Amino acid sequence: MRVIAIDGPAGAGKSTIAKALAARLELDYLDTGAQYRAVTFAAIHRGIEPDEDEVVARLAKDVDLDVSERGVFVDGIDATLEIRGPEVTRAVSVVAANPGVRAEMRRRQREWAGVHGGGVIEGRDIGSVVFPEAVLKLYLTASPETRAQRRHKEVSDLKYEEVAAAIAERDARDQGREHAPLRQDDGATVIDTTDRSVDDIVDEIMGMLP
Ligand code: CDP
């Protein structure tokens, strides 16, 4: 099974690079952040507080999640757009700190890789925890200003300062949590995507593949 793990903070370029790399390699692509966002959406939808750990962990097991390049469906509801909205974005790092949720997402991610025969998988703990055996582990980063600008372009109804503050808060929570925190795995190659084109970065990664 050939897994390429791409981790890093918000706005580092993971999704863009992972999709482009998967297309070049003709491998499938999995956005694990979308899975955590989908569980968060399900909790909000059912009126469950994100910090109700036991209830949310049970929900993570029961909920029907369909995350693919076609979109994100939660119990059959199309949540593709809403999982990127401010309400989910605000609550997702609380849901992702829940060890019960993480165990279930890990199980689903390994199952996905088994069914798909590997793939390009992006998230926060993919190389460090979920697929330590990945053939290539990358840690993408970019300057805080670049990351905030990229997100600001995507959600233009918020002020730049608001976007920058929200990203900083979410990164701090992802890095500071007890279970599978965001960190640079020792075996991961760090790529700074600030001021670099997608093609250039994908070329570099292609040259690293064993
Ligand atoms: O798109 P962006 O990088 O802003 O975030 P995302 O990849 O959609 O992930 C949303 C949130 O899910 C992150 O802030 C983490 O709290 C959580 N997450 C995680 O804990 N582990 C993963 N493997 C992927 C995402």
Side-chain angles (χ1 to χ4, degrees):
M1 195 168 70
R2 204 168 146 82
V3 169
I4 297 167
I6 303 189
D7 292 300
K14 297 184 299 293
S15 297
T16 308
I17 299 297
K19 278 183 205 162
L21 185 65
R24 277 233 213 149
L25 292 169
E26 296 186 1
L27 287 174
D28 288 323
Y29 155 74
L30 179 64
D31 175 359
T32 66
Q35 294 179 313
Y36 286 96
R37 287 174 180 273
V39 173
T40 307
F41 169 87
I44 292 169
H45 203 71
R46 295 190 190 180
I48 300 167
E49 291 296 325
D51 62 355
E52 283 185 69
D53 272 11
E54 277 180 32
V55 189
V56 178
R58 217 174 310 129
L59 169 70
K61 282 194 186 153
D62 296 342
V63 71
D64 176 34
L65 296 183
D66 176 2
V67 174
S68 77
E69 278 164 278
R70 288 186 311 277
V72 173
F73 296 83
V74 180
D75 285 330
I77 301 169
D78 186 349
T80 313
L81 292 179
E82 226 171 314
I83 62 156
R84 308 283 164 200
E87 209 183 349
V88 170
T89 300
R90 220 174 306 126
V92 64
S93 54
V94 172
V95 170
N98 181 330
V101 172
R102 300 207 71 81
E104 174 60 17
M105 293 305 108
R106 215 158 47 228
R107 190 193 66 71
R108 291 184 191 235
Q109 289 151 12
R110 288 185 181 143
E111 184 181 75
W112 181 93
V115 171
H116 291 253
V120 180
I121 306 183
E122 63 143 309
R124 298 290 188 286
D125 61 342
I126 302 307
S128 55
V129 175
V130 188
F131 296 101
E133 75 282 16
V135 294
L136 183 64
K137 297 180 189 183
L138 302 168
Y139 187 92
L140 299 195
T141 97
S143 73
E145 294 74 24
T146 300
R147 299 195 288 110
Q149 275 160 9
R150 287 175 182 161
R151 277 308 137 88
H152 183 234
K153 263 194 213 157
E154 290 167 10
V155 286
S156 48
D157 47 335
L158 293 178
K159 281 196 207 130
Y160 170 81
E161 286 73 22
E162 291 172 326
V163 175
I167 284 186
E169 194 188 323
R170 190 150 57 89
D171 285 348
R173 235 185 271 151
D174 289 342
Q175 284 160 349
R177 72 183 171 217
E178 189 185 343
H179 302 277
L182 169 67
R183 63 177 176 83
Q184 275 170 230
D185 184 86
D186 290 342
T189 304
V190 179
I191 300 181
D192 188 330
T193 67
T194 312
D195 297 329
R196 285 187 67 186
S197 75
V198 175
D199 278 348
D200 181 33
I201 295 165
V202 173
D203 285 344
E204 183 187 347
I205 298 171
M206 291 294 286
M208 288 176 195
L209 277 168

